[in-house]
Amino acid sequence: MHRSLWVVFSLFSLLLSLCSALSEPPSQPTPSHASEGAAPQQSTRAGGSGTSFLGIESLLGLKPLAAVYGTPLSKGSRRLGPRKLKTVMLETPDAFASGVPNPMANVQEDTARPSMPKVIKGVSEIASKYDAFILDQFGVMHNGVDALPGALECFQHLVESGKQIVILSNTSRRSADATGKLPGMGFNVDAIKALVSSGEEAWRYVEATRKGQKCTLLTWKREAADGDPYLSGLDVAVTAVAEADFILCHGTEVIREGGTSAEEVSYMQTGDVAVFQEVLDEGVKRGLEMIVCNPDLRVSLPGGATGYMPGGVAQRYEMMGGRVTWFGKPFKRHFDSCLQYLGPDIKRDRVVHVGDSMDHDVKGATGAAIDSLFIAAGIHAEDAGLRVAQNGEAEGDLTPEAVAKVYEDEGAAATWACKTFNWH
């Protein structure tokens, strides 16, 4: 009899030891400054305080395991099993305050939602907060052909209010060329302090680093038809990629490889980079640098169509292992160039950048520590629940919820958001 009781007691002791081992949290290294007599880490029991010594109730299926990492798995009076662990960790960010590493910390940070976006009806609501406005062109001021509805009036109000204006554009045109288009759309260029373009910055880089060399030129139809005016003043020749020293990615409609050759491609309309694949393959094989005059991926064209830009071609080249030199937004040096034109009397916190691209305008302004105004009726119009008519009018209401969705999808947030670049 005594022997039987001893066997039962031994088996029960063994079971308790096993349960204790299973319920222990992963061991953590002891900090060097901790006292030797410190109490061991406690696991909080589901539904209340206390210490779960064995976790035997979980092993026997009576209750869910309290917390593998010391996390309370209760929400109100409802008990949550291990399958709810992710939800609980996201909903109770203080659950790991005990110092135990939080295996969901990154997920919690990635899914944290910002406060509701600040949506305004017109620029007049924020004009008094700023002394200078850095304006994007396409999707804000015009669509490449005509001024967008409300933009001329808004521009003029800023001028009459004494605001300093600099245009920062990812156009592959040189600054003088880009400025020359604006009067025909009704904009007073005398009121502009400067126009900083990615095309101008790239041109100066080629002038300084590629004198006497040869390139394969990706360009626009208008440029090819006019004899490549962008190359004027550069000691650079155009040749086949097999003989080139670098690739100049200026446009997306034509491949120029010397002489009178001008192969038209469809990338501008389709976004299918395969039309450039032979050039890209040879460029990567030969280790050629690609210089990008316009880093935009896409733009909104007249009538609401999408145009695919040099940035997408350069992005593919870089993914293939090619070496790319970028110019334009979102790079901080281009925002800093705008500030230099504005002068030392204009403080950074009194400057706002207005643009329609989350990738280039909003993220660029954020990186340069400048406030931003997101124009939703540009390339993100559809994402923001808007429809742009043939005449450029944006139809639909811009809601904070729609803007918040764009911010979440794009991984950035502007200081302000407005449907269009308008005054009221």
Side-chain angles (χ1 to χ4, degrees), residues 24 51 57 59 72 105 149 274 287 290-291 303 340 359 393 399 408:
E24 283 182 4
T51 303
E57 71 275 16
L59 186 67
M290 175 181 283
I291 300 170
Q340 290 175 4
D359 279 331
E393 289 282 356
T399 66
E408 182 179 6

Side-chain angles (χ1 to χ4, degrees), residues 134-193:
I134 299 175
L135 303 180
D136 180 30
Q137 286 197 96
F138 293 89
V140 175
M141 298 173 65
H142 59 77
N143 59 12
V145 177
D146 301 307
L148 291 170
L152 282 175
E153 178 191 8
C154 188
F155 181 90
Q156 193 57 36
H157 273 294
L158 291 176
V159 173
E160 293 172 355
S161 300
K163 307 301 180 183
Q164 300 294 305
I165 297 174
V166 171
I167 295 175
L168 177 59
S169 177
N170 278 357
T171 177
S172 51
R173 294 175 181 265
R174 296 193 64 189
S175 293
D177 187 15
T179 305
K181 292 184 60 178
L182 296 176
M185 301 179 190
F187 293 100
N188 177 14
V189 295
D190 293 333
I192 300 171
K193 294 279 290 186

